[in-house]
Amino acid sequence: MRVLVSEDIWDFDLEAALGEISVQRREQALKFRHEQGQRLCVLAYQLLKQGLREAYGITENPIFEYNEHGKPSIVGHPDIFFNLSHCKEAVACVVSDQPVGIDVESIREYKESLVRYTMNDAETQQIESADNPASAFIRLWTMKEATMKLMGTGISNDMKTVIDTDRYQYTTVEKTQYTYTVCSCV
């Protein structure tokens, strides 16, 4: 498994990068109205290309196909699994030979209503008793979202039960401005 994370959102030539990616991804990037969204989309794809080159020796631009919930896979490579995520501070990519999910989120103030809707009682207790409740919330949120991305189901109606440490392994990295979690099968 390869995990790639970059904070270099503003450190590349966007026009040049748009010329180096697939037409499919270029069209997707240009749907973003603001430059930051375009840059995040392009950088995520660049990280995927790097991961595919390092792990599998693949040098061509990957083309995506999508399941009914929007989870992408690489045309012609059903044995390669990947996931992309971004927030305003960072872009994250994971590439593996097993189903995998990743989520990166900015540390921000949490809302009690969102905690009640998405967290079970034990998770709510963890958040409320933490030294930094906002960080505790984001850690659990990234675990949930990475799990749902691994499963390929999109946002689930039952977010309270999605974390499953018996079925999945979680690796969480907490930075000053963001947190990311990788979810993989045990």
Side-chain angles (χ1 to χ4, degrees):
M1 177 176 8
R2 291 222 195 270
V3 178
L4 301 106
V5 179
S6 177
E7 298 173 8
D8 300 331
I9 298 161
W10 298 97
D11 297 342
F12 65 92
D13 180 335
L14 180 60
E15 288 305 315
L18 284 166
E20 297 169 356
I21 62 177
S22 71
V23 172
Q24 179 191 47
R25 190 62 174 193
R26 184 177 320 120
E27 289 173 355
Q28 194 173 14
L30 292 174
K31 287 180 182 176
F32 288 93
R33 289 195 1 239
H34 300 289
E35 183 180 350
Q36 183 173 14
Q38 294 173 2
R39 287 179 165 278
L40 293 168
C41 184
V42 169
L43 185 54
Y45 190 81
Q46 288 177 323
L47 290 180
L48 174 61
K49 286 177 57 172
Q50 178 185 341
L52 292 172
R53 187 174 57 253
E54 291 173 357
Y56 299 99
I58 296 171
T59 57
E60 71 269 7
N61 284 328
I63 304 299
F64 302 151
E65 56 188 357
Y66 300 88
N67 77 7
E68 65 275 11
H69 300 288
K71 182 177 174 77
S73 59
I74 300 170
V75 173
H77 296 282
D79 55 331
I80 298 175
F81 299 87
F82 75 96
N83 205 232
L84 307 172
S85 185
H86 55 76
C87 64
K88 65 182 183 177
E89 291 86 15
V91 174
C93 171
V94 61
V95 178
S96 178
D97 58 1
Q98 299 291 322
V100 67
I102 193 166
D103 187 48
V104 61
E105 298 286 340
S106 303
I107 304 294
R108 61 189 181 278
E109 191 173 334
Y110 74 96
K111 297 179 178 154
E112 271 189 55
S113 60
L114 188 57
V115 170
R116 281 195 304 275
Y117 182 72
T118 60
M119 303 292 161
N120 62 39
D121 291 341
E123 293 163 345
T124 300
Q125 178 61 35
Q126 283 180 44
I127 293 166
E128 291 173 350
S129 64
D131 289 340
N132 185 337
S135 290
F137 172 76
I138 291 298
R139 180 179 51 79
L140 289 165
W141 178 267
T142 60
M143 290 172 71
K144 290 172 181 283
E145 193 154 329
T147 304
M148 291 182 289
K149 290 173 80 177
L150 176 148
M151 295 185 311
T153 59
I155 297 292
S156 166
N157 288 337
D158 190 13
M159 290 190 71
K160 292 183 179 190
T161 62
V162 74
I163 294 175
D164 185 345
T165 56
D166 292 330
R167 278 183 77 186
Y168 304 115
Q169 176 179 326
Y170 298 94
T171 304
T172 299
V173 176
E174 297 183 53
K175 301 283 190 169
T176 305
Q177 295 182 312
Y178 63 90
T179 295
Y180 69 88
T181 296
V182 176
C183 176
S184 55
C185 296
V186 173

